[in-house]
Amino acid sequence: NAGVTQTPKFQVLKTGQSMTLQCAQDMNHNSMYWYRQDPGMGLRLIYYSASEGTTDKGEVPNGYNVSRLNKREFSLRLESAAPSQTSVYFCASSANLGLNEQFFGPGTRLTVL
Amino acid sequence: GESVGLHLPTLSVQEGDNSIINCAYSNSASDYFIWYKQESGKGPQFIIDIRSNMDKRQGQRVTVLLNKTVKHLSLQIAATQPGDSAVYFCAENKEGAGSYQLTFGKGTKLSVIP
C-alpha cells in the first residue's frame, strides 16, 4: 500500500496562475483533508471531506476550492495564486470523520512569486 | 492567539535519556488530544492520542500525560534514539465535544545527541 500520495512534490507559480494539487489514498478511507503548513506555525486545515460527495470548509478556506473526485481522490485547486499561498500543503485521510488517526501524505511545496 | 502552544520550541537530549515534550492548551472543552512526529521533508506521523476521560496513555516507548486541571499535555519518550529526532506537534479538537477539526500547535524540535 502506498498510503497517501500527493503530486506534484514541488511547484513554482507566478501570481495569478492557477493549479490543482492532487491527492490519492489507497486505504479505503472515507474522510480526507487538506492542510497548509507555514514556517513557525502548526498545520492549518483548509478543507475536508467527510465522505465521498461532501466537502466542508476548515480554518483557512479562502482562495481555495476542493473536489472529492471519488473515494480515493481529493484535489485542492488554487484559482488565482497569491504569494500568501506559498506554503507546504499536506493531504491526509482517516477511516472516518472523527477523533482518530489521520494519515498524511509527503506534502507539496508550493512557491508563488 | 494560538490555542495550542508549546513551552519550548527546541529540545536537545542525550541518546538514551528520556525526553519530555510539553504542550499547553487553552480550551477546557477540548476532549481529544493527539501527538504527531514530523521528520524533515516528510508528512506528520501519528504517535499517540488520548481522550479527556483519561490521564495517561502508554504506547511503545511513549507515554502521554494529560492534566486537565492546568490544561497541560506532555509526551514522554523513553530511551531516546537518534531516530526520534524530529518536530513534534500536539493537536486538540479545539471546538470541544463533537468537533472533528484538529488545531495544531507550532511544534517542538527534538534533537538527539549521539
Side-chain angles (χ1 to χ4, degrees):
Chain A
N1 287 350
V4 179
T5 57
Q6 293 182 236
T7 55
K9 285 186 168 53
F10 301 94
Q11 184 72 50
V12 179
L13 294 177
K14 295 180 179 179
T15 297
Q17 288 185 317
S18 62
M19 79 160 296
T20 300
L21 281 64
Q22 307 288 351
C23 173
Q25 51 91 11
D26 62 2
M27 296 175 283
N28 200 35
H29 284 170
N30 286 311
S31 302
M32 299 185 73
Y33 313 80
W34 275 105
Y35 291 89
R36 61 177 289 173
Q37 184 176 37
D38 301 301
M41 300 187 71
L43 294 156
R44 291 184 292 169
L45 183 64
I46 305 171
Y47 270 93
Y48 66 99
S49 170
S51 60
E52 184 179 355
T54 70
T55 61
D56 286 285
K57 294 178 180 180
E59 182 184 352
V60 289
N62 291 345
Y64 305 95
N65 285 300
V66 291
S67 295
R68 184 72 184 268
L69 304 170
N70 47 55
K71 190 171 185 178
R72 290 187 62 249
E73 298 172 289
F74 188 38
S75 63
L76 178 72
R77 183 161 179 83
L78 287 70
E79 291 291 350
S80 179
S84 61
Q85 294 178 303
T86 294
S87 188
V88 181
Y89 291 86
F90 289 99
C91 176
S93 71
S94 62
N96 291 291
L97 186 68
L99 301 178
N100 49 42
E101 179 182 358
Q102 294 180 16
F103 293 81
F104 284 81
T108 294
R109 186 175 294 275
L110 176 67
T111 300
V112 183
L113 303 175
Chain B
E2 191 76 19
S3 69
V4 178
L6 297 165
H7 294 314
L8 295 172
T10 61
L11 177 66
S12 295
V13 298
Q14 204 73 37
E15 181 179 357
D17 287 351
N18 296 335
S19 302
I20 300 176
I21 301 171
N22 297 304
C23 183
Y25 64 95
S26 60
N27 188 358
S28 57
S30 297
D31 63 358
Y32 178 77
F33 306 86
I34 190 167
W35 281 99
Y36 279 92
K37 171 186 179 183
Q38 186 176 25
E39 296 175 90
S40 181
K42 297 184 179 180
Q45 179 183 6
F46 172 87
I47 301 173
I48 193 167
D49 59 1
I50 188 168
R51 297 184 187 271
S52 60
N53 60 353
M54 302 174 69
D55 298 322
K56 178 179 179 179
R57 190 165 188 218
Q58 288 184 293
Q60 188 175 14
R61 280 201 308 119
V62 295
T63 301
V64 56
L65 299 177
L66 177 62
N67 185 330
K68 294 180 285 293
T69 303
V70 295
K71 291 182 283 192
H72 183 269
L73 187 72
S74 68
L75 176 71
Q76 299 180 1
I77 304 173
T80 311
Q81 302 168 0
D84 295 326
S85 293
V87 176
Y88 290 81
F89 295 94
C90 64
E92 64 175 318
N93 66 330
K94 180 181 175 182
E95 302 304 318
S99 167
Y100 304 127
Q101 294 191 31
L102 294 175
T103 298
F104 285 77
K106 295 178 182 177
T108 292
K109 183 177 181 179
L110 175 65
S111 297
V112 181
I113 304 165

